Amino acid sequence: MIQIENTFFALGESCTRNCLIICDRGAMDASAFISKEKWEYMLATNDLNSVDLRDNRYNQIIHLVSAANGAEDFYSTEDHVCRSEGVETARELDYKAAAAWVGHPYFDVIDNSTDFETKICRMISSICQKLGIDVGDRLLTNSRKLKFLVRGPLPSDADFPPFQDFDVVHNYLQSNNPQMQARLRKRGQKGHWSYIHTIRKPKLRGQVVEVKTQLTHRDYVNMLTQRDDSHFTIFKKRRCFLINNQYFQLDIYREPSHPRCKGLVLLETYTALDSIENTLPFFLTDVVDVTGNPAYSMFNLSLKEEWNATNKFCHGLKDPMDGDSKKPLEPTTAAFLKTVTSEEGKSNGIPNGVAGTVRLNGVKNGVKNGVSIDVPNGECGKHNGVSNGCILNGVNNVKSSGIFNGACAEKIHLSGDTLKRAENGDSTGPKMHAVNGSIAVNGS
C-alpha cells in the first residue's frame, strides 16, 4: 500500500497542475483488522511509527460511516464482491477503522444522519474547506464548529473511550494585515512531531476561511523567527476521542501561559446536528457552550497584555461583505474571561457574558439564564448560586453566596427585605454590590 501511494505522491509532485490525491483506505486502516501485537511488530520491523503514518502522511482523513451503522436498511452484501460481513461485524469493523485514525489533526466523520446525496455533498464540502476552495452555495451544509468550556476536575482516564493524547505547541506569527491571523502548530507523541502553518482569513459569506499547510521541521524552525512577541506561546495537552460517531478534541491548557488560561479546558467538535446535547460525552458533566465567544479564542487567550489594556483583542474576523474590510476591528473588553469568587473562595468558572449554571459548594443549582425563582428563607444553604442573569427572591442575609456574572459578586444584605428582579441594569430592590458590571438580567 505504501509503495503504491508513494508512486502516486511522486507523480503528483512532478505534475505542473494542482493535484488532489485520494487514497481509498490509508495505511492505518490495516491496524483495524489485525491484533495490536502484530501491528506494533509490523511498525517496528519497517521502522515506522503511528505519528508519521497517521498524522504526517495524509493531509486529511474522512471516515464515511458504514451503512451498517445508522442506515442498516441500505446495507447489503449483494453485488459487492469485497463485502461479506454481516451487519454486526461490519459495524464493529467500521468502528475499529475509525478508531485507527483518532488523533489525526484533520479527521472528519461523515455519518448517516442525512440521505446519501447530502452525505456525499458533506464529504466534498469538507474537502473544499480544507483546501480553501470557495464553492459558494453549491454544497451548502449546516455543519458547524462548536466549542464548550469544561469545568473540572476532569474524570479519570478510565472514564474516557479509547483516546490519543498529544503535546501541542502554538505560536502566532507577525502579520501585516490586521484582518488575517497566522500561526504555527507543533503536535506530537513520544518525540515524533507534525507541523502545520495556518492562515486564518477574513470571513467569506459568513464563514471564516482557514488555509492549512503541512511543513517540514526545517520550514517550521525557519518560520518561528516570525513569531509575534505580543503573544504567549500556547502549550496544551490535546485528547482526541470518538464517541457515538462524533469526533471530539479536548484541549487542556498548560503553563507557562497567561493566568487567564490557568486550569482552562475546552472541548471542540464539528456537527451538522440541530442539537448536540444528547451526543456530548456523558462523563463530562459540567459543560458550557462558548461557541463564538471571543473570550475563548486562542488568539485572544494568548495575548500577553490584559484585554482591557490592549488594542489587539479580536472580536472576530470581519466579512468584507459587511462593510469596509480595511478598517481594523475595534477590540472589546466586555467579554473578557473573569470568574467571580464566592464567600468560600471558590470560583464559579463562568466567564462574563456566558450563560450557564454554576456549581457552588458542590451543589448544581440548575437555574437557567434569565430565570428568577423563589427560595424559602433559611433554604439558601440548599440552593447555592444562581445562573448568569438570574436573581433569587427572598434569599436570606449574609449566608447567600450572591448572584454571579453581571449581578452581585459580593454578599447580599437583606434583613428580611424582598429582593426583586432587576432588568436592563436598573435595580428595583435593595441596593446590591456589583463587580464587572451593573445589576442586570441577560448579561447587561
Side-chain angles (χ1 to χ4, degrees):
M1 178 184 286
I2 289 175
Q3 185 174 352
I4 293 172
E5 287 181 354
N6 286 346
T7 299
F8 279 92
F9 294 166
L11 286 170
E13 290 173 358
S14 65
C15 185
T16 56
R17 299 176 61 185
N18 289 331
C19 286
L20 175 64
I21 298 174
I22 301 175
C23 302
D24 185 2
R25 292 291 191 185
M28 289 296 294
D29 280 313
S31 66
F33 299 92
I34 60 175
S35 68
K36 182 178 180 181
E37 292 74 20
K38 287 184 179 180
W39 174 249
E40 290 179 348
Y41 176 77
M42 285 176 59
L43 293 184
T45 302
N46 292 281
D47 194 25
L48 297 169
N49 65 79
S50 293
V51 171
D52 282 337
L53 279 187
R54 180 192 57 221
D55 302 344
N56 292 333
R57 188 167 182 81
Y58 310 96
N59 298 112
Q60 183 180 20
I61 303 299
I62 298 179
H63 179 74
L64 294 170
V65 176
S66 168
N69 191 352
E72 291 81 359
D73 291 344
F74 296 93
Y75 182 82
S76 172
T77 58
E78 297 178 8
D79 301 321
H80 289 277
V81 177
C82 297
R83 182 185 293 173
S84 59
E85 302 91 358
V87 171
E88 291 298 328
T89 304
R91 186 181 295 127
E92 180 182 353
L93 290 174
D94 181 74
Y95 180 79
K96 288 182 177 179
W101 295 101
V102 167
H104 189 281
Y106 305 109
F107 179 33
D108 293 295
V109 179
I110 312 294
D111 62 16
N112 294 302
S113 59
T114 60
D115 61 40
F116 187 72
E117 290 300 323
T118 306
K119 182 179 181 180
I120 297 303
C121 284
R122 287 160 57 202
M123 176 194 69
I124 299 172
S125 179
S126 68
I127 296 171
C128 292
Q129 186 177 26
K130 175 67 176 65
L131 293 175
I133 296 174
D134 177 24
V135 293
D137 58 0
R138 286 178 290 172
L139 295 170
L140 279 180
T141 66
N142 59 346
S143 181
R144 64 204 186 282
K145 179 180 179 179
L146 299 179
K147 185 181 290 188
F148 300 88
L149 171 67
V150 179
R151 292 196 286 266
L154 290 175
S156 67
D157 290 355
D159 292 327
F160 283 80
F163 61 83
Q164 294 284 341
D165 278 350
F166 297 86
D167 294 315
V168 182
V169 182
H170 288 277
N171 280 286
Y172 278 91
L173 305 180
Q174 299 171 24
S175 176
N176 294 326
N177 185 347
Q179 285 299 303
M180 295 179 66
Q181 297 173 4
R183 66 175 183 258
L184 293 176
R185 188 191 68 198
K186 174 183 174 183
R187 177 181 181 273
Q189 294 173 310
K190 301 177 181 178
H192 301 287
W193 300 94
S194 61
Y195 308 93
I196 295 291
H197 175 234
T198 299
I199 296 179
R200 206 161 185 256
K201 297 182 177 181
K203 282 186 177 181
L204 186 64
R205 296 184 177 89
Q207 295 188 36
V208 173
V209 176
E210 290 188 347
V211 179
K212 300 175 186 288
T213 306
Q214 201 152 356
L215 301 176
T216 64
H217 176 259
R218 177 181 292 182
D219 290 337
Y220 173 79
V221 172
N222 288 338
M223 295 187 75
L224 268 180
T225 60
Q226 304 172 34
R227 184 167 40 204
D228 188 342
D229 291 334
S230 66
H231 290 263
F232 280 105
T233 297
I234 291 284
F235 297 90
K236 304 176 185 176
K237 180 173 83 171
R238 173 166 292 175
R239 175 163 295 182
C240 305
F241 57 92
L242 189 67
I243 186 168
N244 297 326
N245 291 324
Q246 193 70 39
Y247 187 58
F248 293 95
Q249 293 186 160
L250 188 73
D251 281 348
I252 304 166
Y253 280 70
R254 290 175 162 176
E255 296 183 347
S257 62
H258 193 283
R260 68 173 74 97
C261 297
K262 187 175 181 179
L264 183 63
V265 180
L266 295 175
L267 180 72
E268 292 186 357
T269 189
Y270 284 85
T271 184
L273 299 173
D274 293 332
S275 173
I276 197 174
E277 184 175 344
N278 294 329
T279 58
L280 284 173
F282 62 89
F283 46 85
L284 300 177
T285 57
D286 210 352
V287 177
V288 178
D289 189 347
V290 294
T291 304
N293 189 327
Y296 294 98
S297 157
M298 190 171 64
F299 180 89
N300 293 328
L301 289 170
S302 65
L303 286 170
K304 289 184 177 180
E305 295 180 303
E306 294 295 336
W307 289 343
N308 57 356
T310 183
N311 61 356
K312 293 182 177 293
F313 188 97
C314 180
H315 192 68
L317 295 178
K318 192 172 181 181
D319 190 332
M321 302 297 289
D322 293 338
D324 183 9
S325 61
K326 296 182 180 180
K327 183 180 179 182
L329 288 172
E330 294 296 326
T332 176
T333 58
F336 65 91
L337 186 63
K338 183 176 177 65
T339 55
V340 184
T341 306
S342 74
E343 270 192 309
E344 301 293 327
K346 295 181 179 180
S347 172
N348 66 24
I350 302 181
N352 238 6
V354 177
T357 56
V358 297
R359 283 188 184 276
L360 190 59
N361 300 333
V363 180
K364 191 169 184 178
N365 67 64
V367 183
K368 295 182 178 180
N369 187 32
V371 178
S372 61
I373 61 172
D374 293 339
V375 178
N377 282 336
E379 292 288 325
C380 67
K382 297 180 181 179
H383 298 273
N384 285 321
V386 188
S387 297
N388 184 27
C390 300
I391 296 179
L392 288 174
N393 182 27
V395 179
N396 81 320
N397 56 58
V398 298
K399 291 184 179 180
S400 169
S401 293
I403 300 166
F404 293 77
N405 278 347
C408 179
E410 299 181 9
K411 304 172 185 176
I412 303 176
H413 302 274
L414 293 179
S415 303
D417 291 337
T418 299
L419 173 63
K420 297 190 180 286
R421 182 168 177 162
E423 298 184 1
N424 298 326
D426 299 321
S427 173
T428 56
K431 182 178 180 181
M432 296 182 288
H433 304 287
V435 172
N436 253 357
S438 56
I439 303 145
V441 171
N442 294 331
S444 302

